[in-house]
Amino acid sequence: MLWTPGQILKTRPYRIEKILGLGGFGMTYTATHLQLNHQVVIKTPNGTLQNDPEYPNYVRRFIREGQILAQLCQNAHPGIVRVSDLFEEKGIHCLVMDLVVGESLWHTVQQQGRLPDTEAVAIIRQIGEALTDVHQAGIVHRDAHPGNIMLRPNGQAVLIDFGIASELMPTVISSRHPCNPGFAPWEQQLEGSGKPTVDIYALAASLYYAVTKQSPTPSLQRHFQNMALKPAKDFGVQDWVCLAIEKGMASEAQKRPQSMKDWLSYLREPIPQTIASMSVQLKSARGVDYTRLRDLLAAGKWKEADQETLKVMLKAARPEKEGWLNKKSIYNFPCEDLRTIDQLWVKYSQGRFGFSVQKKIWLEVGGRVDGETECKLGDRVGWRKTRKGQKSWLKY
């Protein structure tokens, strides 16, 4: 049953606006909530499959998708699409989700060409971190391909379509194993595997597509016909990104990293030799002594070094009586001192900390001056932690 634009539902106050997508299993529509006047996405099972003997399984899987998303929404991750309602309209099950405004990773690459390595990695990292939460909830997505990775205008990547997700265990859902063949490992297609390594393969394959604009060689052909995957390095991709792709797309599941967290560890740019060998001169335009900060950093005493950084910054900015940096002191902060502090942190943390490092991450998560970007930066650098299902800022 196809709904038509302008049709108003009876069960809920929604007006159908247009068909958004039609897949082998589900249909999606944009709709407007008549009372709140905001747009949502309504997903239903594909009505054209009603005569298919597998249709009851499709419907059960559809309801399960709503339950999975509702479970994940209790500890909402910005990279997971949010569900707000599950209801039935004239025998048709309906799932109401947030409308993610933006383009899919697939269409973005098709329109713009292959993405720069760092941009592609930033997108895949966001989805990988979201999938880490999904796996911790005992769920495997099983369809994390570029068409299901939506990119908001602010740079936030969102994973959609949990229609073929399963409990975190090897399982055979039915006689068919839905997937996107170009981005699914062979064991999912033949055995219906529901292990985290399935999502790792799909995400590594999505990274391959993002940096090469080439669909990967299907895993069945690679595994059973010895067809080769064209190396990403042939497209000028950096070695460390190639290694992450190679590890994640290993043909045998046991040769891939066994957790998403382990695979994400490969998506860190190696520390340049220049950092390890760099010499930092303790220069100050205001006569500030940076010896103690250097010694604390060299000893790996990060919390004490952070507190010392506050002290020396206040000395360099000269608002010590107030105890914080105001606008005037920030505008007049000596570049020489800022450079010294940054270089000390970069050198002794091996490129993991420092103002310049934070700036790079800030640009990767959107580069805007707003609360959403601030939270994403906090998530990336570890300033926010999940406690009792809610993310909050570290008091320290």
Side-chain angles (χ1 to χ4, degrees):
M1 176 180 177
L2 293 176
W3 290 335
T4 57
Q7 182 175 344
I8 296 176
L9 302 187
K10 304 294 184 182
T11 311
R12 296 288 193 277
Y14 290 110
R15 180 180 65 243
I16 301 300
E17 301 297 343
K18 65 178 181 179
I19 296 176
L20 191 61
L22 173 61
F25 168 60
M27 295 189 64
T28 53
Y29 305 81
T30 55
T32 300
H33 194 291
L34 296 176
Q35 296 171 347
L36 302 178
N37 195 32
H38 75 271
Q39 285 201 317
V40 297
V41 169
I42 297 181
K43 182 176 180 179
T44 71
N46 189 340
T48 61
L49 299 176
Q50 286 185 346
N51 294 326
D52 190 311
E54 287 284 311
Y55 187 72
N57 288 333
Y58 295 153
V59 173
R60 281 194 289 271
R61 195 175 297 138
F62 179 85
I63 296 171
R64 176 62 180 152
E65 177 182 9
Q67 294 169 339
I68 288 170
L69 285 170
Q71 177 183 344
L72 294 172
C73 285
Q74 295 176 13
N75 184 17
H77 188 287
I80 301 171
V81 67
R82 190 178 68 90
V83 63
S84 56
D85 198 5
L86 177 64
F87 64 95
E88 195 171 338
E89 172 84 8
K90 292 185 177 179
I92 299 174
H93 293 278
C94 306
L95 184 61
V96 182
M97 299 176 288
D98 286 348
L99 174 64
V100 181
V101 178
E103 290 282 349
S104 71
L105 177 59
W106 176 269
H107 285 115
T108 298
V109 173
Q110 288 296 307
Q111 293 169 1
Q112 299 181 15
R114 71 184 198 88
L115 302 182
D117 294 354
T118 52
E119 182 180 344
V121 166
I123 292 169
I124 297 301
R125 278 200 66 89
Q126 291 182 64
I127 299 302
E129 289 163 1
L131 281 170
T132 299
D133 283 6
V134 172
H135 293 171
Q136 287 175 350
I139 302 298
V140 176
H141 186 277
R142 293 169 26 105
D143 208 17
H145 62 75
N148 282 338
I149 298 174
M150 297 296 295
L151 306 178
R152 297 184 190 272
N154 65 3
Q156 174 69 53
V158 181
L159 182 63
I160 64 172
D161 201 346
F162 282 69
I164 63 173
S166 70
E167 288 80 10
L168 200 155
M169 62 183 69
T171 180
V172 175
I173 293 179
S174 70
S175 59
R176 302 179 183 181
H177 305 299
C179 65
N180 187 306
F183 296 88
W186 67 269
E187 73 271 11
Q188 177 187 353
Q189 300 178 59
L190 296 185
E191 302 168 0
S193 175
K195 293 182 178 180
T197 47
V198 165
D199 285 345
I200 292 169
Y201 185 99
L203 212 52
S206 296
L207 177 58
Y208 178 91
Y209 168 76
V211 295
T212 67
K213 200 187 174 181
Q214 302 292 314
S215 294
T217 304
S219 59
L220 284 171
Q221 295 176 9
R222 291 177 60 210
H223 188 75
F224 293 105
Q225 299 176 19
N226 292 321
M227 290 186 65
L229 175 71
K230 187 173 182 179
K233 66 179 181 181
D234 290 358
F235 298 87
V237 178
Q238 297 179 70
D239 289 344
W240 62 279
V241 180
C242 292
L243 179 62
I245 292 171
E246 179 185 334
K247 292 290 185 181
M249 291 187 69
S251 185
E252 297 293 346
Q254 63 268 26
K255 292 185 178 180
R256 299 171 211 148
Q258 296 300 293
S259 74
M260 186 61 71
K261 183 178 180 180
D262 288 344
W263 182 67
L264 289 177
S265 68
Y266 288 97
L267 293 183
R268 294 197 182 101
E269 193 168 359
I271 301 163
Q273 283 295 112
T274 51
I275 291 179
S277 61
M278 70 187 293
S279 175
V280 182
Q281 295 182 329
L282 306 185
K283 292 183 178 181
S284 174
R286 300 264 170 90
V288 179
D289 184 1
Y290 291 106
T291 305
R292 175 171 165 76
L293 176 59
R294 179 199 62 195
D295 294 344
L296 288 170
L297 288 168
K301 297 181 178 179
W302 310 116
K303 184 172 182 178
E304 293 88 342
D306 196 39
Q307 293 167 339
E308 178 66 14
T309 300
L310 172 61
K311 293 178 182 177
V312 294
M313 288 188 72
L314 290 175
K315 288 180 180 178
R318 293 179 176 168
E320 293 180 76
K321 293 182 180 179
E322 291 86 352
W324 64 82
L325 297 174
N326 53 35
K327 283 188 177 181
K328 182 178 179 181
S329 63
I330 291 172
Y331 285 133
N332 295 324
F333 199 95
C335 293
E336 193 169 59
D337 290 73
L338 189 64
R339 187 178 299 111
T340 297
I341 296 168
D342 180 55
Q343 289 180 345
L344 283 171
W345 274 95
V346 171
K347 174 181 173 64
Y348 290 105
S349 71
Q350 297 185 316
R352 292 182 176 87
F353 305 124
F355 297 128
S356 56
V357 177
Q358 291 169 11
K359 177 184 177 181
K360 181 174 180 291
I361 296 172
W362 173 68
L363 291 172
E364 288 176 355
V365 298
R368 296 174 178 239
V369 183
D370 57 27
E372 183 181 358
T373 306
E374 183 179 320
C375 287
K376 287 192 285 186
L377 173 65
D379 291 338
R380 281 283 298 275
V381 301
W383 292 341
R384 286 169 24 107
K385 298 294 181 183
T386 301
R387 294 188 181 91
K388 297 181 180 179
Q390 297 292 327
K391 284 203 169 182
S392 59
W393 293 89
L394 295 178
K395 291 182 179 179
Y396 156 71

